[in-house]
Amino acid sequence: EAGVAQSPRYKIIEKRQSVAFWCNPISGHATLYWYQQILGQGPKLLIQFQNNGVVDDSQLPKDRFSAERLKGVDSTLKIQPAKLEDSAVYLCASSFPEGILGPLHFGNGTRLTVT
Amino acid sequence: KQEVTQIPAALSVPEGENLVLNCSFTDSAIYNLQWFRQDPGKGLTSLLLIQSSQREQTSGRLNASLDKSSGRSTLYIAASQPGDSATYLCAVWDYGQNFVFGPGTRLSVLP
């Protein structure tokens, strides 16, 4: 089966600019997650979708970050305006509807550098 | 709040050695624990998933154990190879519906 697809792979922007990341989960996976991974740390959950509804966005900095999952498939994560501390790898993951009991499958991530 | 730690932070071993990576979590009320491998510049690859009712899982040269009551899991790698060099992360899914990651152990297997 095809894995989780993410684009772009790399992005360099200046602070205060905006950026968007795209994710296509594994076919049939209802649950989709966006994680932020800062160098040397484990991934931190930003937002979790079940189909096209938000399950958990408690750690999403909503003043600058937004995410949507239209039609319950693809998802986009946007940062506007970006700050230096947003430099990180942004990982998308998906799992089956019974995600609590099943494994997470990750994409290769988007490495964001904010200068 | 669930916290996950991993010891050691980094490990360097000669090829062929057996090794153990440790993962600890503070809240034993978990659904499952998952071990991942992350290669530089890549996403996370799932290695083993242990449900809360299980004690261990095996895949090839990898064996993961879970002791929920003590809040510990170990990942055992037998006969290590240079291709095993990567960062290994554990994560727990707790009753708070959160999937919490540890910071990882960076493993280098020297030829």
Short mmCIF file of all heavy atoms in Angstrom, two decimals, chain A residues 9 33 35 37 40-43 56 91 99-104 106-108 111, chain B residues 31-32 34 36 38 41-44 46 49 51 89 93 97-99 101-103:
data_model
loop_
_atom_site.label_atom_id
_atom_site.label_comp_id
_atom_site.label_asym_id
_atom_site.label_seq_id
_atom_site.Cartn_x
_atom_site.Cartn_y
_atom_site.Cartn_z
N ARG A 9 9.16 18.72 0.73
CA ARG A 9 10.11 18.07 1.62
C ARG A 9 10.88 19.09 2.44
O ARG A 9 11.21 18.85 3.60
CB ARG A 9 11.09 17.20 0.83
CG ARG A 9 10.49 15.95 0.27
CD ARG A 9 10.30 14.87 1.37
NE ARG A 9 11.57 14.27 1.72
CZ ARG A 9 12.02 14.23 2.97
NH1 ARG A 9 11.34 14.77 3.96
NH2 ARG A 9 13.18 13.64 3.22
N TYR A 33 -3.05 12.95 11.76
CA TYR A 33 -2.37 13.74 12.80
C TYR A 33 -1.30 14.62 12.15
O TYR A 33 -0.63 14.22 11.21
CB TYR A 33 -1.66 12.82 13.80
CG TYR A 33 -2.45 11.63 14.28
CD1 TYR A 33 -2.59 10.50 13.50
CD2 TYR A 33 -3.02 11.63 15.56
CE1 TYR A 33 -3.30 9.40 13.95
CE2 TYR A 33 -3.72 10.53 16.01
CZ TYR A 33 -3.86 9.42 15.20
OH TYR A 33 -4.56 8.33 15.65
N TYR A 35 2.19 16.49 13.53
CA TYR A 35 3.14 16.59 14.62
C TYR A 35 4.22 17.60 14.26
O TYR A 35 4.59 17.75 13.10
CB TYR A 35 3.82 15.24 14.89
CG TYR A 35 2.96 14.22 15.60
CD1 TYR A 35 2.13 13.37 14.89
CD2 TYR A 35 3.01 14.09 16.99
CE1 TYR A 35 1.35 12.43 15.54
CE2 TYR A 35 2.24 13.15 17.65
CZ TYR A 35 1.41 12.32 16.91
OH TYR A 35 0.65 11.39 17.57
N GLN A 37 8.21 18.29 15.17
CA GLN A 37 9.39 17.70 15.79
C GLN A 37 10.55 18.67 15.71
O GLN A 37 11.09 18.93 14.63
CB GLN A 37 9.77 16.37 15.13
CG GLN A 37 10.90 15.65 15.86
CD GLN A 37 11.23 14.30 15.26
OE1 GLN A 37 10.98 14.04 14.10
NE2 GLN A 37 11.80 13.40 16.08
N GLY A 40 16.23 17.03 18.01
CA GLY A 40 16.64 16.42 19.27
C GLY A 40 15.50 16.07 20.20
O GLY A 40 15.74 15.57 21.31
N GLN A 41 14.27 16.32 19.76
CA GLN A 41 13.11 16.02 20.61
C GLN A 41 12.19 15.03 19.91
O GLN A 41 12.27 14.83 18.70
CB GLN A 41 12.35 17.30 20.93
CG GLN A 41 13.15 18.34 21.68
CD GLN A 41 12.35 19.58 21.98
OE1 GLN A 41 11.11 19.59 21.91
NE2 GLN A 41 13.03 20.67 22.33
N GLY A 42 11.29 14.45 20.69
CA GLY A 42 10.27 13.60 20.10
C GLY A 42 9.17 14.45 19.48
O GLY A 42 9.04 15.64 19.80
N PRO A 43 8.39 13.89 18.58
CA PRO A 43 7.30 14.64 17.96
C PRO A 43 6.26 15.09 18.99
O PRO A 43 5.99 14.37 19.95
CB PRO A 43 6.69 13.64 16.98
CG PRO A 43 7.77 12.63 16.73
CD PRO A 43 8.51 12.53 18.04
N ASP A 56 -8.57 16.73 18.55
CA ASP A 56 -7.71 17.37 19.56
C ASP A 56 -6.85 18.41 18.88
O ASP A 56 -6.09 18.08 17.97
CB ASP A 56 -6.83 16.31 20.24
CG ASP A 56 -5.96 16.87 21.34
OD1 ASP A 56 -5.95 18.10 21.57
OD2 ASP A 56 -5.24 16.07 22.00
N LEU A 91 5.49 16.60 10.71
CA LEU A 91 5.19 15.22 10.33
C LEU A 91 3.69 15.00 10.29
O LEU A 91 2.96 15.44 11.17
CB LEU A 91 5.80 14.25 11.35
CG LEU A 91 7.32 14.22 11.42
CD1 LEU A 91 7.76 13.55 12.72
CD2 LEU A 91 7.91 13.49 10.25
N GLY A 99 -7.93 3.91 15.79
CA GLY A 99 -6.53 4.35 15.91
C GLY A 99 -5.91 4.10 17.25
O GLY A 99 -4.71 3.95 17.35
N ILE A 100 -6.72 4.04 18.28
CA ILE A 100 -6.16 3.85 19.60
C ILE A 100 -5.46 2.50 19.70
O ILE A 100 -4.48 2.35 20.40
CB ILE A 100 -7.27 3.96 20.66
CG1 ILE A 100 -7.72 5.40 20.77
CG2 ILE A 100 -6.80 3.43 21.99
CD1 ILE A 100 -8.86 5.61 21.73
N LEU A 101 -5.94 1.51 18.98
CA LEU A 101 -5.38 0.18 19.08
C LEU A 101 -4.42 -0.14 17.93
O LEU A 101 -3.78 -1.16 17.95
CB LEU A 101 -6.49 -0.87 19.11
CG LEU A 101 -7.48 -0.73 20.28
CD1 LEU A 101 -8.54 -1.82 20.20
CD2 LEU A 101 -6.73 -0.83 21.61
N GLY A 102 -4.35 0.73 16.96
CA GLY A 102 -3.54 0.43 15.79
C GLY A 102 -2.31 1.29 15.71
O GLY A 102 -2.19 2.30 16.40
N PRO A 103 -1.35 0.90 14.86
CA PRO A 103 -0.11 1.66 14.75
C PRO A 103 -0.30 2.95 13.96
O PRO A 103 -1.20 3.06 13.13
CB PRO A 103 0.82 0.70 14.01
CG PRO A 103 -0.10 -0.13 13.19
CD PRO A 103 -1.35 -0.29 14.01
N LEU A 104 0.57 3.92 14.23
CA LEU A 104 0.62 5.13 13.44
C LEU A 104 1.57 4.93 12.28
O LEU A 104 2.61 4.29 12.41
CB LEU A 104 1.13 6.31 14.28
CG LEU A 104 0.23 6.87 15.37
CD1 LEU A 104 0.86 8.14 15.94
CD2 LEU A 104 -1.14 7.17 14.84
N PHE A 106 3.72 7.17 9.51
CA PHE A 106 4.19 8.53 9.29
C PHE A 106 4.67 8.75 7.86
O PHE A 106 5.18 7.84 7.21
CB PHE A 106 5.36 8.83 10.23
CG PHE A 106 4.96 9.15 11.63
CD1 PHE A 106 4.73 8.14 12.55
CD2 PHE A 106 4.81 10.46 12.04
CE1 PHE A 106 4.35 8.44 13.85
CE2 PHE A 106 4.43 10.77 13.34
CZ PHE A 106 4.21 9.76 14.24
N GLY A 107 4.53 10.00 7.41
CA GLY A 107 5.17 10.45 6.19
C GLY A 107 6.61 10.86 6.48
O GLY A 107 7.07 10.80 7.63
N ASN A 108 7.33 11.29 5.44
CA ASN A 108 8.73 11.67 5.60
C ASN A 108 8.91 13.07 6.19
O ASN A 108 10.03 13.46 6.53
CB ASN A 108 9.47 11.57 4.27
CG ASN A 108 9.80 10.13 3.93
OD1 ASN A 108 9.98 9.30 4.82
ND2 ASN A 108 9.86 9.82 2.65
N ARG A 111 10.67 19.66 6.32
CA ARG A 111 11.62 20.38 7.17
C ARG A 111 11.48 21.87 6.89
O ARG A 111 11.76 22.32 5.78
CB ARG A 111 13.05 19.93 6.91
CG ARG A 111 14.08 20.63 7.81
CD ARG A 111 15.48 20.10 7.56
NE ARG A 111 15.57 18.69 7.89
CZ ARG A 111 15.75 18.21 9.11
NH1 ARG A 111 15.89 19.04 10.13
NH2 ARG A 111 15.83 16.91 9.33
N TYR B 31 -3.15 2.53 26.60
CA TYR B 31 -3.76 1.58 25.68
C TYR B 31 -2.68 0.71 25.02
O TYR B 31 -2.85 -0.49 24.86
CB TYR B 31 -4.54 2.30 24.59
CG TYR B 31 -5.85 2.88 25.03
CD1 TYR B 31 -6.03 4.25 25.11
CD2 TYR B 31 -6.92 2.06 25.34
CE1 TYR B 31 -7.23 4.80 25.50
CE2 TYR B 31 -8.14 2.59 25.74
CZ TYR B 31 -8.28 3.97 25.82
OH TYR B 31 -9.48 4.50 26.20
N ASN B 32 -1.62 1.37 24.60
CA ASN B 32 -0.55 0.63 23.95
C ASN B 32 0.74 1.42 23.97
O ASN B 32 0.76 2.60 24.37
CB ASN B 32 -0.93 0.25 22.50
CG ASN B 32 -1.20 1.44 21.61
OD1 ASN B 32 -0.47 2.42 21.65
ND2 ASN B 32 -2.23 1.35 20.78
N GLN B 34 4.30 1.95 21.45
CA GLN B 34 4.82 1.69 20.11
C GLN B 34 6.28 2.14 20.04
O GLN B 34 6.63 3.21 20.55
CB GLN B 34 3.98 2.45 19.07
CG GLN B 34 4.15 2.01 17.64
CD GLN B 34 3.06 2.58 16.73
OE1 GLN B 34 2.09 3.18 17.18
NE2 GLN B 34 3.23 2.39 15.43
N PHE B 36 9.39 3.12 17.44
CA PHE B 36 9.61 3.63 16.10
C PHE B 36 11.11 3.75 15.84
O PHE B 36 11.91 3.92 16.76
CB PHE B 36 9.01 5.03 15.91
CG PHE B 36 7.52 5.10 16.01
CD1 PHE B 36 6.91 5.27 17.24
CD2 PHE B 36 6.74 5.02 14.87
CE1 PHE B 36 5.53 5.36 17.34
CE2 PHE B 36 5.36 5.11 14.96
CZ PHE B 36 4.76 5.29 16.19
N GLN B 38 13.69 6.19 13.41
CA GLN B 38 13.74 7.37 12.57
C GLN B 38 15.15 7.53 12.00
O GLN B 38 16.11 7.69 12.75
CB GLN B 38 13.35 8.63 13.35
CG GLN B 38 13.25 9.87 12.47
CD GLN B 38 12.67 11.07 13.20
OE1 GLN B 38 12.85 11.22 14.41
NE2 GLN B 38 11.95 11.92 12.49
N GLY B 41 16.58 12.77 8.50
CA GLY B 41 15.82 13.40 7.42
C GLY B 41 14.58 12.65 6.99
O GLY B 41 13.97 13.00 5.98
N LYS B 42 14.22 11.64 7.74
CA LYS B 42 13.05 10.83 7.36
C LYS B 42 11.99 10.87 8.44
O LYS B 42 12.21 11.35 9.55
CB LYS B 42 13.49 9.38 7.14
CG LYS B 42 14.48 9.17 5.99
CD LYS B 42 13.83 9.40 4.65
CE LYS B 42 14.78 9.16 3.50
NZ LYS B 42 15.21 7.75 3.41
N GLY B 43 10.83 10.31 8.09
CA GLY B 43 9.77 10.18 9.07
C GLY B 43 10.01 8.99 9.98
O GLY B 43 11.09 8.40 9.98
N LEU B 44 9.01 8.64 10.77
CA LEU B 44 9.12 7.54 11.71
C LEU B 44 8.56 6.26 11.10
O LEU B 44 7.48 6.29 10.50
CB LEU B 44 8.36 7.86 12.99
CG LEU B 44 9.02 8.80 13.99
CD1 LEU B 44 9.08 10.23 13.48
CD2 LEU B 44 8.31 8.74 15.34
N SER B 46 7.23 2.51 12.04
CA SER B 46 6.78 1.69 13.16
C SER B 46 7.52 0.36 13.18
O SER B 46 7.63 -0.32 12.16
CB SER B 46 5.27 1.44 13.05
OG SER B 46 4.83 0.62 14.11
N LEU B 49 4.37 -2.75 18.01
CA LEU B 49 3.26 -2.19 18.78
C LEU B 49 2.87 -3.22 19.85
O LEU B 49 2.62 -4.38 19.51
CB LEU B 49 2.07 -1.92 17.88
CG LEU B 49 0.76 -1.51 18.56
CD1 LEU B 49 0.88 -0.12 19.16
CD2 LEU B 49 -0.40 -1.56 17.58
N GLN B 51 0.14 -3.97 22.78
CA GLN B 51 -1.10 -3.57 23.44
C GLN B 51 -0.92 -3.69 24.95
O GLN B 51 -0.06 -4.42 25.43
CB GLN B 51 -2.25 -4.46 22.98
CG GLN B 51 -2.46 -4.49 21.48
CD GLN B 51 -2.92 -3.18 20.89
OE1 GLN B 51 -3.20 -2.23 21.64
NE2 GLN B 51 -2.98 -3.09 19.58
N LEU B 89 12.57 5.75 18.92
CA LEU B 89 11.64 6.47 19.79
C LEU B 89 10.54 5.53 20.27
O LEU B 89 10.09 4.66 19.53
CB LEU B 89 10.99 7.64 19.07
CG LEU B 89 11.91 8.74 18.55
CD1 LEU B 89 12.15 8.58 17.05
CD2 LEU B 89 11.33 10.11 18.84
N TRP B 93 0.15 5.51 24.10
CA TRP B 93 -1.18 6.07 23.92
C TRP B 93 -1.90 5.90 25.25
O TRP B 93 -2.19 4.78 25.66
CB TRP B 93 -1.94 5.33 22.83
CG TRP B 93 -3.10 6.13 22.34
CD1 TRP B 93 -4.16 6.57 23.08
CD2 TRP B 93 -3.30 6.63 21.03
NE1 TRP B 93 -5.01 7.30 22.30
CE2 TRP B 93 -4.51 7.36 21.04
CE3 TRP B 93 -2.57 6.53 19.85
CZ2 TRP B 93 -4.99 7.99 19.90
CZ3 TRP B 93 -3.07 7.14 18.72
CH2 TRP B 93 -4.27 7.87 18.75
N GLN B 97 -6.22 10.02 25.85
CA GLN B 97 -6.32 10.11 24.40
C GLN B 97 -5.14 10.84 23.78
O GLN B 97 -5.26 11.45 22.73
CB GLN B 97 -7.63 10.81 23.97
CG GLN B 97 -8.88 10.20 24.55
CD GLN B 97 -9.29 8.94 23.85
OE1 GLN B 97 -9.43 8.91 22.63
NE2 GLN B 97 -9.48 7.86 24.60
N ASN B 98 -4.02 10.79 24.46
CA ASN B 98 -2.83 11.43 23.93
C ASN B 98 -1.79 10.40 23.56
O ASN B 98 -1.60 9.41 24.27
CB ASN B 98 -2.22 12.38 24.96
CG ASN B 98 -3.14 13.53 25.28
OD1 ASN B 98 -3.63 14.20 24.38
ND2 ASN B 98 -3.39 13.74 26.55
N PHE B 99 -1.14 10.64 22.42
CA PHE B 99 -0.04 9.79 21.99
C PHE B 99 1.24 10.56 22.28
O PHE B 99 1.54 11.53 21.59
CB PHE B 99 -0.19 9.47 20.50
CG PHE B 99 0.50 8.22 20.08
CD1 PHE B 99 0.13 6.99 20.59
CD2 PHE B 99 1.50 8.25 19.13
CE1 PHE B 99 0.76 5.82 20.19
CE2 PHE B 99 2.13 7.09 18.73
CZ PHE B 99 1.76 5.87 19.26
N PHE B 101 5.33 10.98 22.89
CA PHE B 101 6.62 10.43 22.47
C PHE B 101 7.71 10.71 23.49
O PHE B 101 7.69 11.74 24.18
CB PHE B 101 7.05 11.06 21.15
CG PHE B 101 6.37 10.49 19.95
CD1 PHE B 101 5.13 10.95 19.56
CD2 PHE B 101 6.98 9.49 19.21
CE1 PHE B 101 4.50 10.43 18.44
CE2 PHE B 101 6.36 8.96 18.09
CZ PHE B 101 5.11 9.42 17.71
N GLY B 102 8.68 9.82 23.54
CA GLY B 102 9.92 10.09 24.24
C GLY B 102 10.86 10.84 23.31
O GLY B 102 10.58 10.98 22.12
N PRO B 103 12.00 11.30 23.84
CA PRO B 103 12.94 12.09 23.02
C PRO B 103 13.81 11.25 22.10
O PRO B 103 14.44 11.77 21.19
CB PRO B 103 13.80 12.80 24.06
CG PRO B 103 13.75 11.88 25.24
CD PRO B 103 12.39 11.25 25.24
#
